């Protein structure tokens, strides 16, 4: 099972990859980074993307909707770290949001949350060149990468 550095190098093998990092969304710190960072500053990028991740995971509107009937049974009210709508989700393992995709004129930014057996507050940020990268393939590969990622 690959660690942070090996996983980031795997992410950089994707066509169009410009940079990748593993970020703790609570502290906003980059736990590892490779390649370039938007704006040239890895730590500033980590802090800014962590804020986006926090907003998404703590949003009641983006929380899991519940049972198969879609009636909201079992929904995760509230939000925040350690709470029912927090990063652990209702099972304690799944974050309420799997990934975020941000697009702009020349690039894609994928933020994929890492699911672990404990309350994970980590995501992988992949920065792709829009003219060279394949968003659908990158999303699939990033999901596979985060499933194999070993933290610690």
């Amino acid at each position: 099972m690959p660690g942070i550095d090996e996983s980031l190098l795997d992410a950089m093998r994707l066509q169009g990859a410009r940079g990748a990092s593993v970020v703790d969304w609570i502290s906003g710190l980059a736990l590892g980074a490779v390649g370039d960072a938007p704006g040239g500053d890895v730590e500033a990028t980590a802090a800014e993307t962590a804020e986006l991740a926090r907003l998404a995971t703590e949003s009641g509107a983006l929380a899991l909707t519940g049972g198969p009937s879609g009636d909201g049974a079992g929904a995760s009210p509230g939000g925040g770290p350690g709470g029912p709508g927090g990063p652990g989700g209702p099972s304690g393992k799944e974050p309420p949001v799997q990934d975020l995709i941000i697009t702009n004129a020349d690039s894609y930014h994928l933020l994929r949350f890492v699911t672990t057996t404990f309350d994970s507050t980590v995501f992988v940020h992949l920065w792709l060149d829009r003219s060279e990268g394949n968003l659908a393939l990158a999303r699939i590969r990033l999901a596979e990468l985060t499933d194999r990622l070993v933290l610690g």
Side-chain angles (χ1 to χ4, degrees):
M1 297 191 128
I4 291 173
D5 293 336
E6 188 177 334
S7 294
L8 290 174
L9 290 174
D10 282 347
M12 289 302 291
R13 290 187 183 107
L14 286 165
Q15 185 171 346
R18 297 171 77 178
S21 59
V22 174
V23 178
D24 179 285
W25 63 264
I26 298 292
S27 67
L29 295 175
L31 304 177
V34 65
D36 297 327
D41 186 348
V42 171
E43 290 304 326
T45 299
E48 291 172 7
T49 55
E51 184 64 24
L52 289 171
R54 257 192 309 278
L55 290 170
T57 59
E58 294 176 356
S59 169
L62 301 177
L64 298 172
T65 58
S69 65
D71 62 3
S76 302
S91 69
K93 296 177 184 175
E94 286 281 327
V97 177
Q98 288 181 331
D99 54 23
L100 298 174
I101 301 170
I102 298 117
T103 63
N104 60 33
D106 67 349
S107 60
Y108 300 118
H109 296 267
L110 283 78
L111 279 61
R112 178 70 184 198
F113 293 87
V114 178
T115 302
T116 62
T117 55
F118 54 92
D119 280 347
S120 180
T121 60
V122 174
F123 65 90
V124 175
H125 171 209
L126 177 64
W127 182 28
L128 282 175
D129 184 280
R130 191 171 182 145
S131 64
E132 296 177 25
N134 180 323
L135 181 59
L137 180 60
R139 186 168 178 258
I140 291 167
R141 295 278 168 82
L142 202 56
E144 293 169 352
L145 182 144
T146 57
D147 286 344
R148 294 188 320 261
L149 179 63
V150 174
L151 301 171

